[in-house]
Amino acid sequence: MAETGYALEARGIVKIFGNHVALDKVDFGLKPGEVHALLGENGAGKSTLIKILTGAYQPTLGEVLVDGFPVSLNNPQHAQTYGIGTVYQEVNLLPNRSVAENLYLGHQPTRFGFVDRRKMERDSRTVLARYGLDIDPSSELGAHSVAVQQIVAIARAVELSGKVLILDEPTASLDRNEVERLFEIIADLKKSGLAVVFITHFLDQVFAIADRVTILRNGKLIDTKALDNLTRTDVVRLMLGKDIAFSGATKLEENRPLGEVLLDFKNYGRKRSVQPFNLTIHKGEVVGVAGLLGSGRTEMARIMFGADAADEGTVAVAGIQTSIARPTDAIAHGFGFCPEDRKAEGIFGDLSVRENIVIALQGKLGWFSALNRDEQLEIAGRFGEAMDIRAASLDMPVKLLSGGNQQKVILSRWLATDPAFLILDEPTRGIDVGAHAEIVRTINRLRDEGLALVVISSELDEVVAYSSRIVVMRDRELVAELNGENINPGVIVQAIANHKDGVSA
Amino acid sequence: MNRSLRPLLATALIFAIAYALAVMQFPSMFSTRVLGNFLTDNAFLGIAAVGMTFVILSGGIDLSVGAVIGFTGVLVAVLITWAGMHPLFAFAIAIIVAGTFGATMGLAIHYLQVPAFIVTLAGMFLARGGASVITRDSVPIYHEFYAWISDLTIRLPGGGRLSFIGLTMVAIFIVGALIAHRTKFGSYVYALGGNPVSASLMGVPVARTTVAIYTLSSVLAAISGIVFSLYTSAGYPLAAVGVELDAISAVVIGGTILTGGYGFVLGTFIGVMLLGLVQTYIIFDGTLSSWWTKIVIGILLFLFIVLQRLIFVASAPGEKAQKA
């Protein structure tokens, strides 16, 4: 160990892309045996810093030191040889190969030039046992849950590097139990002297597991502090650089006069997807949908939008019976849908911001009245401004924007069609605190403008903050509808957990 | 059961049933003679299909295979007949030329980030055009080495013969299977087919692997061209037109997923044999147009693509995760 006491250190890192300074003289030090949280809004430079620490990017200026010695990391594999392993947000393993191969790919034990599969599987079993996993190492990785894949990814990173473990939003797709399991594993690794970098959007998790925190904002280092004497508010203030009201509302919007009925779903359902449900949605109303992952929330949204056809029940739009069997039907009625999985179902990553915004409007207009470029720019510009989309240019590919800005692009896309009804599935997933607040503000504004919205969210504080009414899903069934004065996250949790008699409207 | 085994089993089952039906109609199809000819007649296709298996497993495609076979045949014939070179020298030159050609395509695919479809399409025109520039006519090969190799056969009980080229194909399949399933290189090929981004993050040498895959495919196409010249004793620039498509069919019928990541080299062998069986049946029947081969291949391909969709979509992990 060199005099610095850091397992991994970055000094004065500057990274410039074109004429954009992504990192500006950032210092970062990681001690062995600590969990170090790296925080910042999207676009603050977290992922750029991580990519430099793992060798995926080269710093424009500054140096990276391992155990006090300057190194130049050419690529992630090279970083591995220095003991630096990374687990990314989306599990970056090979679902088509066996668990054992995923653990050892590139480092398989060989005998006479051939891979010694038996030894590899035996070793895998030993390794996985340390993480409390008892699975067949010869089974296909893709057959296991995301949580198991995540643990395999961590096991691989630790096995191959063993000094520094970088976890880039490892909990984004895990449920509560799985997160706890992961934290136990991290605690064990920490005890064994590993240095862990932990990146997340969940402040609770930071306080649950991290020892120190480094906060970045706009590519600049704000501070590195021990967490002991920090409060959540301190951290948020450091991240945002300003005071914001943090999850203020704990009761539903006061009962205000309902608008006229816009939508009326009666016994609406789809076999093996959602049990028939009844739901009336008024103009100027936000209906929050709460429930655990897999409770049928997304499925409900999909049949409302016609992405999956309902096979039971009826729907009336503004009092007139109709059928919504395809998304085009829904769009014709003025519906919009922002799906949960932005990357897979929402944005066209390679298309520009402008094209992404006008695409639904163009779909509505049909083939024969193409919007010309000026009209497109006018529309995109208007929404870009209204929604405060931060893009260098409206012609840059959407995939280069941060998660929050991508979400705003999708929202703009539907708003451009002048919708009557919007379904938002997890609109704040994976976006930072600042963008969070903005999305919530936008939802409130749209409601005040008379739109009807259905918003699905796992964040109960948030659902409570903007909903006029909350429906609760459980086991693919709409089990409760909550409205009134005293609704708080606790009551929703009860409704999710309890049986039907537990809570009633 | 490992779900990628299912298409392989289906192919094997279809082959067994089809062969049994053919034998019921023409009992003489069950003989070492017919089986021996199966290997000999399909040797060049089989060898090219081994290379194609690697390419498709990695998520790519190689359309230049047929053209490389034709080019190699012409090159070998010209070197032997016009330049008076010993066939073994000619073979070595042809393999080096093809290897360079394949490596160049691999480099273009990796570094220029151009889809393999486009790069190998260009390769196809280049190789086919190159062959036609060398000669427009068929160049016959008269050399004692060729005669010697044709006589090099193993007699089987029942009058059948295992020819040198048939055995070459079998050997290449065995070596191919060992490389695909037992070496690190093989695991990299599957890794690229599974998810190239993950593969590179996991430290797979993507550039080297891509270049090696297309080099291997072109080298095997060259060997296939050599075998084809042994089979026909000539080199013709328009030989083996469309063989790349037959090879792709054999690979897909053999249970390899066209999008990469799943499949077995052995499956391709069964795929090639199944195509050979269809052809042999039509020859035995005598009344059917040889175009029926294409129709049957078309039907088989379609069936297998549907089957793969069913197997892989029905048991997609995402679905499980949702239920959990």
Side-chain angles (χ1 to χ4, degrees):
Chain A
M1 189 67 46
E3 74 285 357
T4 56
Y6 289 126
L8 177 65
E9 193 186 355
R11 280 191 199 157
I13 298 288
V14 177
K15 178 70 186 175
I16 299 173
F17 294 107
N19 50 14
H20 170 62
V21 182
L23 287 178
D24 187 8
K25 290 186 228 121
V26 171
D27 300 310
F28 179 79
L30 183 64
K31 295 174 188 164
E34 75 164 345
V35 176
H36 194 136
L38 184 56
L39 294 179
E41 288 196 87
N42 284 332
K46 282 175 305 187
S47 30
T48 311
L49 180 58
I50 289 308
K51 284 185 172 148
I52 286 171
L53 292 177
T54 57
Y57 288 162
Q58 313 305 318
T60 314
L61 282 174
E63 56 181 358
V64 176
L65 299 91
V66 174
D67 289 341
F69 299 103
V71 293
S72 124
L73 306 168
N74 302 324
N75 54 49
Q77 201 183 9
H78 189 215
Q80 258 176 25
T81 62
Y82 284 107
I84 303 164
T86 314
V87 175
Y88 299 91
Q89 180 175 9
E90 284 111 33
V91 184
N92 271 294
L93 295 178
L94 300 162
N96 60 327
R97 303 306 287 162
S98 73
V99 172
E101 198 164 289
N102 272 289
L103 275 176
Y104 288 107
L105 187 78
H107 307 264
Q108 296 107 319
T110 51
R111 220 164 49 149
F112 314 120
F114 292 115
V115 172
D116 188 347
R117 199 176 294 173
R118 214 176 305 163
K119 175 170 163 45
M120 184 167 87
E121 282 170 9
R122 212 170 43 228
D123 293 354
S124 305
R125 220 177 267 282
T126 326
V127 168
L128 293 173
R130 283 211 289 278
Y131 295 86
L133 273 190
D134 182 25
I135 53 175
D136 178 7
S138 67
S139 57
E140 224 175 271
L141 183 77
H144 298 288
S145 71
V146 178
V148 169
Q149 296 187 26
Q150 192 79 267
I151 294 173
V152 172
I154 291 173
R156 175 183 166 90
V158 172
E159 278 312 295
L160 298 184
S161 32
K163 187 185 294 171
V164 173
L165 177 63
I166 298 172
L167 299 171
D168 189 357
E169 295 205 36
T171 55
S173 45
L174 302 186
D175 70 26
R176 195 172 293 265
N177 290 331
E178 291 167 338
V179 170
E180 270 168 29
R181 174 92 171 278
L182 181 73
F183 281 6
E184 282 167 24
I185 289 170
I186 295 177
D188 282 349
L189 292 172
K190 178 177 136 179
K191 242 178 268 164
S192 67
L194 208 76
V196 181
V197 182
F198 184 68
I199 299 165
T200 184
H201 282 302
F202 300 108
L203 287 182
D204 289 342
Q205 296 183 354
V206 172
F207 281 88
I209 189 123
D211 303 308
R212 291 199 303 153
V213 57
T214 288
I215 294 162
L216 298 178
R217 193 195 323 140
N218 291 332
K220 292 199 175 66
L221 174 72
I222 299 304
D223 211 345
T224 298
K225 284 191 162 174
L227 266 175
D228 299 341
N229 31 31
L230 283 181
T231 65
R232 285 174 58 119
T233 332
D234 295 336
V235 172
V236 173
R237 199 175 296 129
L238 287 171
M239 282 171 70
L240 296 179
K242 60 190 171 196
D243 283 301
I244 58 155
F246 197 72
S247 77
T250 50
K251 64 171 190 163
L252 293 180
E253 279 294 310
E254 71 279 16
N255 269 338
R256 41 163 150 202
L258 290 171
E260 49 192 293
V261 173
L262 178 70
L263 283 164
D264 193 9
F265 294 96
K266 280 219 160 55
N267 280 323
Y268 213 59
R270 175 180 162 88
K271 278 199 190 63
R272 275 182 294 181
S273 174
V274 187
Q275 300 284 329
F277 61 88
N278 291 305
L279 187 61
T280 311
I281 300 164
H282 304 83
K283 284 186 182 165
E285 176 180 51
V286 177
V287 178
V289 181
L292 297 173
L293 272 174
S295 59
R297 301 174 312 181
T298 297
E299 288 78 358
M300 179 163 94
R302 287 179 62 87
I303 73 167
M304 282 180 175
F305 191 64
D308 296 318
D311 51 17
E312 270 180 85
T314 58
V315 53
V317 178
I320 300 157
Q321 291 289 329
T322 178
S323 104
I324 299 170
R326 287 181 302 270
T328 43
D329 299 341
I331 293 169
H333 285 299
F335 291 16
F337 180 34
C338 304
E340 180 179 15
D341 190 347
R342 271 197 303 278
K343 277 188 194 133
E345 297 173 21
I347 60 162
F348 300 93
D350 289 313
L351 294 186
S352 69
V353 173
R354 166 176 58 83
E355 288 162 319
N356 268 284
I357 290 178
V358 299
I359 200 159
L361 180 59
Q362 183 63 70
K364 198 179 172 190
L365 291 177
W367 287 24
F368 298 108
S369 43
L371 292 165
N372 66 35
R373 209 185 129 84
D374 289 343
E375 287 169 326
Q376 291 187 6
L377 270 179
E378 198 274 313
I379 293 164
R382 184 149 44 88
F383 284 98
E385 210 167 298
M387 300 289 294
D388 191 21
I389 295 170
R390 279 172 223 157
S393 139
L394 291 173
D395 280 317
M396 75 193 268
V398 160
K399 65 180 176 192
L400 299 181
L401 299 190
S402 68
N405 280 315
Q406 291 181 358
Q407 192 66 49
K408 290 187 218 162
V409 169
I410 300 177
L411 259 171
S412 308
R413 171 193 299 166
W414 291 111
L415 294 177
T417 65
D418 192 16
F421 173 50
L422 262 184
I423 305 167
L424 311 180
D425 194 354
E426 294 281 6
T428 54
R429 152 120 7 134
I431 67 180
D432 60 75
V433 179
H436 234 249
E438 259 174 83
I439 298 272
V440 171
R441 266 202 300 282
T442 308
I443 290 172
N444 284 326
R445 180 166 61 83
L446 294 174
R447 182 200 47 218
D448 293 341
E449 286 170 10
L451 242 73
L453 292 107
V454 164
V455 184
I456 298 170
S457 179
S458 300
E459 308 215 6
L460 299 181
D461 286 347
E462 200 187 288
V463 178
V464 171
Y466 50 61
S467 300
S468 331
R469 205 152 37 108
I470 293 171
V471 297
V472 177
M473 300 292 292
R474 182 174 63 227
D475 294 337
R476 304 182 172 265
E477 201 177 346
L478 196 164
V479 290
E481 192 173 317
L482 310 173
N483 46 33
E485 289 292 313
N486 271 326
I487 302 302
N488 57 44
V491 177
I492 303 176
V493 170
Q494 246 179 340
I496 292 171
N498 280 5
H499 287 289
K500 285 186 186 87
D501 48 34
V503 179
S504 60
Chain B
M1 184 184 64
N2 191 332
R3 62 205 171 112
S4 62
L5 270 173
R6 281 180 235 165
L8 180 68
L9 288 179
T11 316
L13 195 69
I14 289 178
F15 179 77
I17 293 171
Y19 192 46
L21 288 175
V23 167
M24 268 161 37
Q25 196 179 351
F26 306 109
S28 58
M29 270 186 80
F30 188 67
S31 68
T32 54
R33 189 185 295 257
V34 170
L35 286 174
N37 287 348
F38 255 25
L39 297 182
T40 308
D41 297 341
N42 295 296
F44 75 98
L45 174 61
I47 292 167
V50 172
M52 189 65 83
T53 310
F54 280 88
V55 172
I56 292 181
L57 278 177
S58 77
I61 197 90
D62 186 354
L63 298 179
S64 70
V65 167
V68 171
I69 294 175
F71 179 83
T72 307
V74 169
L75 183 65
V76 165
V78 165
L79 288 177
I80 296 171
T81 307
W82 294 357
M85 206 177 266
H86 188 276
L88 285 176
F89 276 115
F91 295 171
I93 290 171
I95 286 173
I96 290 167
V97 170
T100 314
F101 182 75
T104 311
M105 292 198 297
L107 287 170
I109 290 164
H110 179 78
Y111 287 105
L112 306 182
Q113 295 288 310
V114 181
F117 187 93
I118 303 296
V119 172
T120 60
L121 187 69
M124 175 180 100
F125 285 120
L126 273 174
R128 190 65 77 187
S132 306
V133 165
I134 296 175
T135 173
R136 304 284 280 279
D137 310 308
S138 176
V139 180
I141 303 171
Y142 304 107
H143 196 283
E144 65 245 36
F145 183 76
Y146 267 61
W148 179 71
I149 284 203
S150 320
D151 289 338
L152 205 62
T153 56
I154 300 173
R155 293 200 169 275
L156 295 173
R161 270 190 251 211
L162 280 179
S163 65
F164 176 77
I165 61 172
L167 289 173
T168 305
M169 172 182 75
V170 172
I172 285 175
F173 264 105
I174 292 169
V175 173
L178 282 175
I179 293 175
H181 308 309
R182 282 293 145 92
T183 64
K184 284 192 187 182
F185 171 71
S187 67
Y188 295 160
V189 172
Y190 281 95
L192 283 187
N195 183 340
V197 177
S198 299
S200 84
L201 288 173
M202 289 171 83
V204 170
V206 177
R208 217 189 317 148
T209 309
T210 306
V211 171
I213 289 167
Y214 287 91
T215 309
L216 179 70
S217 176
S218 289
V219 163
L220 286 174
I223 297 177
S224 168
I226 292 166
V227 161
F228 196 67
S229 84
L230 287 165
Y231 185 59
T232 58
S233 289
Y236 180 52
L238 294 182
V241 170
V243 164
E244 63 278 354
L245 301 181
D246 290 334
I248 293 169
S249 314
V251 171
V252 172
I253 290 174
T256 298
I257 307 300
L258 206 41
T259 47
Y262 297 92
F264 298 92
V265 173
L266 177 66
T268 302
F269 183 75
I270 304 176
V272 170
M273 289 298 108
L274 192 53
L275 297 189
L277 176 70
V278 175
Q279 251 154 359
T280 311
Y281 176 84
I282 284 163
I283 293 165
F284 263 76
D285 183 88
T287 60
L288 288 170
S289 151
S290 68
W291 288 104
W292 278 100
T293 321
K294 302 282 176 203
I295 292 175
V296 175
I297 293 174
I299 293 170
L300 281 176
L301 258 181
F302 188 70
L303 274 179
F304 272 90
I305 289 164
V306 171
L307 180 78
Q308 289 175 357
R309 287 313 287 174
L310 290 179
I311 289 174
F312 282 86
V313 174
S315 59
E319 196 133 325
K320 261 185 210 162
Q322 270 183 359
K323 276 177 209 146

